[in-house]
Every structure is written in structure tokens, then in C-alpha cells.
Amino acid sequence: MALTAFVFLPPSSASAETTDDGQEVTEFYFAGVVTFDDQPVEGVVMSIEGKGFKGETETDAEGKWRLYVPEKEKYTLTVDESTLPEGVIVDATQLPEGTQPIAGTTASFEVEFGLTGTKIMNLFLGEGQRVTVSFVDQLLSRLVGGLNFGLLLALASMGAALIYGTTRLSNFAHAEMVTWGGLVALVTTTFWHLPLWLGIVAAVIGGGLFGWALDAGIWRPLRRRGLGVVQLMIVSIGLSLALRYAFQFIIGGGTYQLPGASPTPIQFGPISLSYIDMIAMGVSIVVILAVAFFLTRTRIGKATRAISDNPQLAAASGIDVDRVIRYVWILSGTLAAISGILWAYFRPGVKWDMGMQMLLLIFAAITLGGLGTAFGALVGSLIVGIAVEVSTLWIPSDLKYASALVVLIVILLVRPQGLLGRRERLG
């Protein structure tokens, strides 16, 4: 079969059996035959998505296809209508039992397994008019999705920006601080079966304690030894690798869902949002406003900004720099944990390397907004989030994160100091 698949395989599953096209063979799969006028149709692209998993394949010369999935859940199966014969659509009157077409399209369907781990999906094509979503409707939907992603990205980026501003450390282990939030929520809710609200509280407190522990156990002693910025950055890379594989050892290489993940979306015209999306955006906005109040109205917040501007002058004016940095690490860990919980619902799923998938975007947002400024990181995150989601209108979804880097390069060519950064004299 001439198939192509886009399936992420964690290192722990590298030795698993795979098909000729690279799909990991599991005990769960959807399969079938695509026919038109009782004749098989070759080259029809089929994709499946759900629970954080994406896969793609195409039919062979006999019209046959098969898509393996990691678990027995409900998925969305989509037929790429551009690969169908002209004027032909999937005949919705002949869909298999348990298959529901998604409103507004003629090529996407909700599919789920029966009693077994296999589902045969023979699709029959017929003449008809294809129903598609208009470009404006798609743009509005992507803009809202980008805003949602940008807000949760901002929580992690603002924490990392505060660390950079006060210590000049580009913390590569910040990705694991994000993962830690989702991991604590997963263990307390899914593994220990505690209420979701208690898991969220535990994750937020655990994030703050994790930030405090990292500073007290590693970064403060290294600062006192006078290590340079490059040396500290290399330490953060090693710490990132150590923590990441420690997380994999704890929970394995699979993807786990938090309670209530992937709820049924609510339609607001062309915009589709679940109640979790709306809660996530509300929580992000409240937390961002709280951080803004902290930085502009409290003594510690003002001291943080003073250290970011000039640490030597701040120390000379009587500010306890080490104490303020300790608070910054606690705040950064708390923000990263909240971002990790929201990221687990947005993906959806908790995975041992989920934070690493955000790290490059975090650095892009910080650089775009202006190094060392939390408000710049907020603006940069919103731009990156919207750019990532909107770009899928023109490029494949697998390349959407690269679009954020293109935006970063373009803006830095015009404004090297970032959007809210200040020009600095070199040399």
C-alpha cells in the first residue's frame, strides 16, 4: 500500500512493529475500502485525529486503507476531497453504523469502535455538491483558536521572561516546568483518582515549590560560584534532558488524558469552542492581570523590574537581589504549572515531553516581544499563537510551528530589539 503517515513515536516505542509506511502497529485500527460505481478508488487521502493523535494514509490500487490508533476512543475521520474524482463526495446515506457526519462538511465524520478494537469503514462515493467552510469562517475560527493558544503560551513565556530579566539565564528546563504542572495534575486526578479541583490546586502549588527547589538547589549555588551566562545555559540544557527522561520513567511514553478532556464543542456561528476552552481563556486573562498587578503595584514586583533594568544599581539601592530572584522562580514555576494544565487540555493529553513542544515557541515569544520584559512576552505570545493557528489555512498543520519562527525573523529584521524591547548600545 502506498501510504504516508504522520505519527509521533516516542523513544520507548521505537522497537515496536511498524507498517511499510511507518505507522506503529497497535491492536486498534480503522480500515475499509473506498469505491465509486462499484470500482475501487486509488490515492484517496484519509486522515484521523483525536485524543492528541494524528494519522494519515491513502488508499491503494484496490481502494483499501488502514489507520492504526493508540487507544479505543472516539476519533474524527476526514477524507481529503481534493483527492476524489471531480464532482464526487462521500455518500452520507451509506455510512457505516456508528458513524456521524460533522455538521457543515461532507468529508469529516465522528467514528468510534464497537465491542472490538477494529472498525471496518467501507465508504461509498456518489455524485454531489461538496460542502465546505468559507475562508472567512475558517479565519475567524483560527483567530479564536490562536488567541486561546497564545494566552496559555503567554503564562509560560512571562515566567521565562522574568527569569531571563533577573538572572540573564535562558532556561531550557522551563519546558519541564510546564510538563511538571500537567504531570502533577495527571498523577493526582487520573492515577490517584482525586477530584479535579484538588489536582489543579496541587499542580499550582507543586509548580511554585518546583521553582523554589530548582533555585535553592541548583541556580543560587551556581550564581554564588560566579558561573557565566553560557555555563548556566548549558547546565539548564542538561537539567532539561535529565528531568524529561525522569518524567518518561515515571509515566512512560504514552499520552494520558486529564478528566473531562475533549468535550463536545459549542458552536458560536463559525466559531467552535468547548467549555474548557472558554474557562482556559478566562483563567489565562485573570492570571495575566494578576501578574501585571504584581509587577506594577507591589514592592517585590517593582524590585523585580528594577533588577531587570540594572541589577547592580538595584543591589546598591538596598534591594535583596537573591530574595527577589527566589520569588521570581516561585512565580515562574506557578505560571508554568498553570500553563502546563491548560496545554494538557489544549493538545489534548499529558505526555512526558509535552513541554518541549512549547519551548521553541516560548523563546520565540520572548525574543519577539523584547528580551527580559514580561509584557513583551505577553504580546509576543499572542502574535505567535495567532500566527501558528492561522497559518494552517495555507500550510500543512505539521509545519504550523515553523510559521511562528518566520514571523519572528521578519519582525526582528525590522526591529532587532523586539516589539517592546529597548535599543542597546553595542561595543
Side-chain angles (χ1 to χ4, degrees):
M1 298 173 67
L3 309 179
T4 53
F6 300 90
V7 183
F8 178 77
L9 298 177
S12 60
S13 61
S15 59
E17 182 184 355
T18 58
T19 61
D20 292 340
D21 62 338
Q23 292 190 74
E24 180 183 350
V25 176
T26 69
E27 57 182 317
F28 309 112
Y29 65 84
F30 295 90
V33 179
V34 178
T35 59
F36 177 53
D37 285 343
D38 296 326
Q39 297 297 318
V41 182
E42 181 182 3
V44 178
V45 175
M46 318 278 294
S47 61
I48 199 161
E49 182 176 352
K51 296 298 182 180
F53 174 85
K54 294 181 180 181
E56 186 174 294
T57 188
E58 65 180 49
T59 57
D60 64 4
E62 298 178 349
K64 296 180 180 179
W65 59 274
R66 178 176 293 191
L67 280 167
Y68 290 96
V69 294
E71 53 187 329
K72 192 175 179 180
E73 291 288 349
K74 182 180 289 186
Y75 294 90
T76 299
L77 179 69
T78 301
V79 179
D80 186 349
E81 291 186 313
S82 65
T83 61
L84 297 179
E86 187 67 27
V88 170
I89 62 173
V90 178
D91 189 348
T93 65
Q94 300 189 57
L95 291 176
E97 184 180 355
T99 305
Q100 297 294 327
I102 295 178
T105 72
T106 55
S108 293
F109 317 94
E110 287 188 351
V111 294
E112 57 183 328
F113 293 97
L115 297 177
T116 66
T118 61
K119 178 75 172 182
I120 303 302
M121 297 279 303
N122 293 326
L123 300 179
F124 302 93
L125 306 181
E127 295 182 359
Q129 184 176 4
R130 297 172 183 174
V131 178
T132 56
V133 181
S134 70
F135 177 81
V136 174
D137 288 348
Q138 291 184 63
L139 179 60
L140 288 174
S141 178
R142 299 291 200 284
L143 284 172
V144 174
L147 179 62
N148 186 12
F149 180 49
L151 287 171
L152 73 88
L153 181 65
L155 298 180
S157 300
M158 291 175 74
L162 288 173
I163 290 175
Y164 180 85
T166 52
T167 65
R168 293 298 181 266
L169 168 65
S170 298
N171 181 26
F172 281 80
H174 200 78
E176 281 57 55
M177 296 173 70
V178 172
T179 305
W180 175 256
L183 192 66
V184 173
L186 173 72
V187 171
T188 52
T189 58
T190 303
F191 291 1
W192 293 351
H193 305 291
L194 296 177
L196 178 60
W197 69 267
L198 190 58
I200 293 175
V201 170
V204 173
I205 295 175
L209 291 175
F210 192 48
W212 173 84
L214 288 177
D215 183 57
I218 298 176
W219 302 117
R220 186 166 182 262
L222 292 180
R223 287 197 305 272
R224 289 194 166 187
R225 289 179 176 272
L227 265 68
V229 173
V230 175
Q231 293 168 301
L232 291 175
M233 183 181 67
I234 293 173
V235 171
S236 76
I237 295 173
L239 178 62
S240 171
L241 292 171
L243 289 173
R244 196 182 318 155
Y245 289 104
F247 295 158
Q248 186 189 26
F249 178 78
I250 294 171
I251 67 170
T255 299
Y256 304 89
Q257 302 300 325
L258 293 178
S262 301
T264 302
I266 305 170
Q267 289 295 136
F268 300 92
I271 300 171
S272 177
L273 288 173
S274 69
Y275 74 93
I276 289 182
D277 293 328
M278 291 183 279
I279 292 174
M281 287 191 283
V283 168
S284 298
I285 292 172
V286 170
V287 173
I288 289 170
L289 291 176
V291 173
F293 179 84
F294 167 78
L295 292 175
T296 58
R297 294 290 186 267
T298 67
R299 289 186 59 188
I300 297 176
K302 293 177 181 178
T304 300
R305 294 163 58 201
I307 294 173
S308 296
D309 288 338
N310 193 321
Q312 290 79 20
L313 181 60
S317 62
I319 295 175
D320 188 340
V321 175
D322 270 342
R323 178 169 169 265
V324 172
I325 291 176
R326 179 68 52 82
Y327 285 128
V328 166
W329 274 97
I330 294 173
L331 175 61
S332 179
T334 302
L335 293 176
I338 298 173
S339 179
I341 297 170
L342 300 182
W343 179 229
Y345 279 109
F346 185 86
R347 295 182 64 240
V350 176
K351 204 166 185 289
W352 61 281
D353 63 344
M354 57 181 276
M356 193 63 189
Q357 299 168 8
M358 288 179 61
L359 183 62
L360 197 58
L361 299 180
I362 291 173
F363 285 151
I366 294 173
T367 308
L368 182 60
L371 293 174
T373 164
F375 299 115
L378 169 62
V379 174
S381 296
L382 293 176
I383 293 174
V384 167
I386 293 174
V388 164
E389 292 298 316
V390 172
S391 65
T392 57
L393 292 172
W394 299 281
I395 64 176
S397 59
D398 290 341
L399 299 177
K400 65 181 182 179
Y401 295 130
S403 63
L405 303 182
V406 173
V407 172
L408 172 66
I409 293 171
V410 171
I411 291 181
L412 291 185
L413 286 174
V414 178
R415 189 175 174 84
Q417 70 271 31
L419 294 175
L420 299 186
R422 295 176 301 177
R423 288 184 178 273
E424 294 185 6
R425 185 174 181 179
L426 302 178

